[in-house]
Amino acid sequence: MISKVLLVAALLAAASTPSATSLSTSGLISVSRLRRQGPAIALSDRPTTLVPCGGAVSSSDLSPAPRLPRELGPITLGVFSQMLGEGIALSSLALYLTRLGATPVTVGLAISCFSVAQMTCAPLLVGLSNRLGRPPVLRICLAGAAASSLLIAFSGSAAGVIAGRTLAGVFAACVPVAQAGVTDVLPKELTALGLSRVSAAAQLGVVVGPAASALLQEGFAAVGLHPDKCLPAVFVMNAVFAVGVLIAMALYDQQTPHESVTEEIVERQSSDGSVALNEESTDMGILRLTQPMLRTITVVVGWTAILSNSIYGLFAPRFLGFAQPQLSATYSAAAALMVATQMAFPRLVASIGEHRACTLGILSVGTGIGGLSLVRVQPFHSLLYLLNRAGAAVADTATAALVARSSQGREARSRNLALLTSTRAAARIVSPLVSSTLFQMSCGGARVPGALPFVLAASCAMAVAPLPSLLKRAERKAE
C-alpha cells in the first residue's frame, strides 16, 4: 500500500512540474512557428544543428524560466515507452523464469545477455542515427522492444525468455539516441534541462512499469485468464503500447515540416551570435582524458545502482528484517525521489554548474551507500538510502551533460553518449557477481556483517568525486 501511495505521489509530482509539461505531446507546435518567434531551434528528422535565426535579443524577450520546445515531447515519450517495458521486465521476469523451471544461474544469464547486447549494440544504433536521423532510430528501437516483448510473451520457455531479453538489449538504445537528439537541438544553457527530462522519462517508466504490471495482472485474473497467462498478457499489452507510440511518432514526424541545416550554414552564421558547430575549444589531449574519466564515474555510480537494488534486496531482509512490502516501499520511494530530483536538476546546474553538480551527486552517492550499510537504525538508514539514490540521479545526468559538453562536434557527442551507455551496461555484467561475492564473504563479520561491498563502493565514489573539478580546471586552462 505504501509503495502505491509513493508511486501516485511521484506521478503527480512529475505531472505538476511546469518544466515537465513543456515536454507533453499535446499542443505540439510546428518548426515553422518556432522560426517565426525570433531566435528559434531548428529541428529536423535528419541530422541538424542549433541555429538562432534572429539577431540580438532584448531583455524583454528573455524568459526567466526557459522552456523546452514541445517537439521534444515525442522523444521523451519514446524513452518512457521503452523504459516502461524494462520496468515490467525487471520486476517480473525473475519470478516468471522461476515458474518456468529456471535456476538462479539462468536468471542471471538473462540479465547478463541483455547487458552484453546493449553494450555491443547501443553505439551501433547511435551511429546509425547520425546517418538516418534520431527519430527513425528511436522508432527502430521501439519496434525492437515490441518484438522482444512478444517473443517473451509467446515463448513459454526459459530459453525463449532469454532470447527475448537479448533482443531487448540489442535495441535498448532509446536513452542515448534521445540524449544525442536533445544535445543536437538545444543550446548549451538548455542542455542540462533537456537531459534531465530524458532521464526523468526513463526513470518514470521504471517506476510505472512494476505498478502497471501488477494492476494488469490483477485485471486479467479478474476476467478469468489463467494465472500462468497473466504475465505474458502484460508483455503483449506492453508491445501494443510500444507500437502505438511508434505509430504516433511516425505520424507526427510526417505532419511536421522539416528544414535541414548544414554545417556550412552554422559556421557561416556563428559570427552573428549563433551557436557555432564546434563551440567547445578543449584540446584533443584533454578530450582523450575527459571521456575515460567520465566513464569511470559512470562505472562507479552504476556499481552503486546494482548494490542499491539487487544486493540491497539481500542485505535488508537479512540484517534489517525487511519483508517484500518494505522493500517495495523503499524502492518506490527511491524511484519517486529520483524522478523529483531530475525535475530539480536544471535549477541545481543553474546554481552551481555541471561540474559541481556532478561532484555533489557523487559525494551523496558515496555517503549514502556507505552509510546505509553501517547505520541500521531507522529512519536514518532509509534516509541514507534515499540520499544515495538522489545522488545517483544527479551524478548520472550531470555526467551525461559533461560528456556532451566536452565532445567536439555532433558525431563525437553522440558517440560518446553511446559509449557512456555501453560502459554502464558493461558494468552491469561484472558488478552483480563481484558484489554478491563480496557480500557473501562479509556476512560472517562480527561488527558490520554484509557491509563490505557497500563500503568499497563508497570508497570508490569518494575517490572519483574530485574528477569533475579536475576537468573544470583543465577546461579553464585550455580556454
Side-chain angles (χ1 to χ4, degrees):
M1 178 61 70
I2 296 175
S3 62
K4 291 183 179 178
V5 171
L6 289 167
L7 171 60
V8 172
L11 294 175
L12 291 176
S16 61
T17 305
S19 299
T21 58
S22 67
L23 284 177
S24 65
T25 56
S26 60
L28 293 171
I29 52 180
S30 66
V31 176
S32 59
R33 177 180 167 188
L34 279 174
R35 293 184 186 275
R36 288 196 300 268
Q37 294 177 343
I41 292 174
L43 291 172
S44 175
D45 186 39
R46 304 177 61 176
T48 60
T49 312
L50 174 71
V51 181
C53 300
V57 182
S58 66
S59 58
S60 61
D61 295 328
L62 297 177
S63 171
R67 297 174 68 88
L68 296 174
R70 293 179 180 176
E71 279 80 355
L72 295 182
I75 294 179
T76 54
L77 181 60
V79 170
F80 171 79
S81 176
Q82 185 168 71
M83 296 309 296
L84 177 69
E86 287 306 302
I88 293 172
L90 290 173
S91 64
S92 307
L93 279 185
L95 180 59
Y96 184 56
L97 282 168
T98 302
R99 289 175 180 172
L100 293 174
T103 64
V105 174
T106 304
V107 175
L109 180 62
I111 297 172
S112 296
C113 285
F114 174 89
S115 298
V116 169
Q118 185 184 39
M119 175 189 69
T120 305
C121 297
L124 301 178
L125 286 169
V126 175
L128 183 64
S129 73
N130 287 334
R131 298 190 296 273
L132 299 183
R134 312 302 184 198
V137 176
L138 281 173
R139 296 195 292 269
I140 290 172
C141 290
L142 286 180
S148 69
S149 292
L150 292 175
L151 180 56
I152 292 172
F154 293 108
S155 65
S157 67
V161 173
I162 292 174
R165 289 303 292 158
T166 303
L167 183 62
V170 169
F171 293 98
C174 267
V175 171
V177 172
Q179 288 175 333
V182 164
T183 57
D184 284 345
V185 300
L186 292 181
K188 178 180 176 181
E189 59 271 16
L190 289 182
T191 298
L193 178 60
L195 291 175
S196 72
R197 293 305 175 259
V198 172
S199 298
Q203 191 61 43
L204 196 58
V206 175
V207 172
V208 174
S213 176
L215 292 174
L216 286 173
Q217 288 185 67
E218 290 179 5
F220 290 135
V223 299
L225 191 64
H226 192 278
D228 292 341
K229 300 296 183 183
C230 288
L231 184 57
V234 171
F235 279 101
V236 172
M237 293 300 297
N238 177 63
V240 171
F241 179 73
V243 171
V245 172
L246 188 159
I247 293 173
M249 292 175 66
L251 292 176
Y252 169 73
D253 186 60
Q254 291 179 356
Q255 295 171 0
T256 303
H258 298 299
E259 296 180 37
S260 120
V261 182
T262 64
E263 295 184 4
E264 288 185 308
I265 296 176
V266 175
E267 292 179 338
R268 189 166 59 245
Q269 292 186 354
S270 62
S271 60
D272 298 327
S274 58
V275 179
L277 185 64
N278 296 321
E279 184 179 359
E280 305 301 335
S281 57
T282 53
D283 58 62
M284 292 304 296
I286 294 296
L287 286 177
R288 282 194 295 268
L289 180 65
T290 296
Q291 299 303 329
M293 292 168 73
L294 293 174
R295 290 170 202 154
T296 301
I297 293 173
T298 295
V299 169
V300 173
V301 176
W303 183 17
T304 65
I306 293 295
L307 291 171
S308 301
N309 293 284
S310 301
I311 307 304
Y312 188 76
L314 303 174
F315 176 90
R318 183 163 183 169
F319 298 112
L320 297 172
F322 277 21
Q324 187 59 51
Q326 291 168 299
L327 271 177
S328 298
T330 302
Y331 291 151
S332 296
L337 180 60
M338 292 179 77
V339 174
T341 301
Q342 295 295 351
M343 295 301 178
F345 177 79
R347 294 185 180 181
L348 178 65
V349 170
S351 299
I352 64 175
E354 294 163 341
H355 297 83
R356 290 179 180 175
C358 189
T359 298
L360 177 62
I362 298 169
L363 290 175
S364 299
V365 168
T367 302
I369 199 69
L372 69 86
S373 67
L374 303 175
V375 179
R376 306 183 183 187
V377 178
Q378 297 290 18
F380 303 107
H381 173 85
S382 293
L383 289 175
L384 286 167
Y385 181 88
L386 294 176
L387 175 65
N388 156 51
R389 301 311 293 145
V394 172
D396 277 336
T397 307
T399 302
L402 289 175
V403 166
R405 174 190 178 95
S406 59
S407 300
Q408 292 185 326
R410 178 179 181 273
E411 291 191 5
R413 184 169 58 244
S414 61
R415 181 179 65 251
N416 288 330
L417 287 169
L419 288 174
L420 201 66
T421 298
S422 185
T423 301
R424 189 178 293 114
R428 286 200 303 267
I429 299 171
V430 180
S431 56
L433 178 61
V434 173
S435 300
S436 58
T437 302
L438 292 173
F439 176 74
Q440 190 63 37
M441 289 172 53
S442 63
C443 280
R447 295 186 178 180
V448 281
L452 180 59
F454 299 93
V455 173
L456 284 178
S459 300
C460 292
M462 294 303 181
V464 301
L467 293 185
S469 298
L470 294 177
L471 295 178
K472 180 65 173 177
R473 185 180 306 173
E475 288 179 6
R476 287 178 176 174
K477 290 183 178 180
E479 288 177 354

